[in-house]
Amino acid sequence: AEKEKQRSESRIIVTGGFGYIGRSLVALFQTKFPTVALSHDKVDLVAGAVELDLLAQKHDATHIVHLATPRDFGKNSALGDSVSMLKNVLDVCSANKLKLLFVSSADVFSGFVEYPLQATENHAPFPRNSPGVAKYLCEIMIRQHASVHGLSWAVLRSATIYGGAVRRPKFLHTFIEQV
């Protein structure tokens, strides 16, 4: 009964918890829930699921918010790493009966030329760039995994976010340097 009572309180692990969005989200979560922020230096999600699984058990996690992306996310090689990282997160979620929030991207709609695009949940994704393809593949993988393993999940498709806490957005900085 005590274990069941403890499980009713949310305890969250945030992969990519030291990135721009991750830092803000972790700060918000920590005001209401025990929250553990992970970085690539702490847990290598490409290498395997063991480290994440041990942390999930140690902290008796109830949720994983998956923000982590490969370091060179714009490159084609990041496609495989994105899928591997998510597969490891999915395995940990299933093994520990954790809920998953996957933060995707509006890049899944990057192939549309209409502007402004007012996409809804019923709008079919049409990615044209590597980040969009990676996020879309991950979304498909989550749905498939959920249908087989009964995973409780949600996907949040966010627009690209820049702000004051970002020292130097790589894309914008590189674009300005090139012009």
Side-chain angles (χ1 to χ4, degrees):
E2 183 63 30
K3 182 73 169 172
E4 197 59 39
K5 179 183 175 201
Q6 289 175 351
R7 262 323 250 190
S8 68
E9 299 171 0
S10 295
R11 283 170 305 289
I12 303 169
I13 292 176
V14 180
T15 68
F18 290 93
Y20 177 62
I21 297 171
R23 283 190 310 267
S24 298
L25 200 55
V26 166
L28 176 68
F29 284 161
Q30 286 177 332
T31 65
K32 298 183 184 222
F33 312 106
T35 304
V36 176
L38 301 181
S39 68
H40 173 75
D41 299 333
K42 189 170 186 177
V43 174
D44 184 356
L45 293 173
V46 175
V50 174
E51 292 173 313
L52 180 61
D53 187 54
L54 291 172
L55 278 169
Q57 291 176 36
K58 176 182 176 183
H59 296 283
D60 197 25
T62 58
H63 297 74
I64 292 181
V65 177
H66 185 45
L67 295 169
T69 59
R71 290 183 184 236
D72 293 323
F73 193 58
K75 294 183 178 180
N76 288 342
S77 60
L79 288 167
D81 286 346
S82 294
V83 168
S84 294
M85 293 167 76
L86 176 64
K87 176 66 170 114
N88 291 325
V89 169
L90 289 170
D91 288 347
V92 170
C93 286
S94 291
N96 295 283
K97 298 185 180 6
L98 308 182
K99 295 178 180 178
L100 173 67
L101 172 61
F102 177 72
V103 180
S104 187
S105 168
D107 278 340
V108 299
F109 300 116
S110 60
F112 290 100
V113 294
E114 58 199 74
Y115 183 83
L117 177 65
Q118 296 183 358
T120 68
E121 290 179 6
N122 298 323
H123 215 96
F126 182 44
R128 85 160 183 247
N129 56 29
S130 292
V133 171
K135 291 292 189 177
Y136 185 49
L137 288 172
C138 288
E139 290 181 20
I140 292 168
M141 209 165 127
I142 290 167
R143 284 192 294 277
Q144 188 277 335
H145 191 91
S147 70
V148 172
H149 298 283
L151 176 72
S152 178
W153 62 277
V155 169
L156 171 66
R157 289 182 179 148
S158 172
T160 302
I161 300 171
Y162 298 107
V166 174
R167 289 183 303 168
R168 195 172 79 171
K170 291 179 186 175
F171 170 76
L172 293 177
H173 183 74
T174 302
F175 178 76
I176 290 167
E177 280 185 343
Q178 300 297 318
V179 174

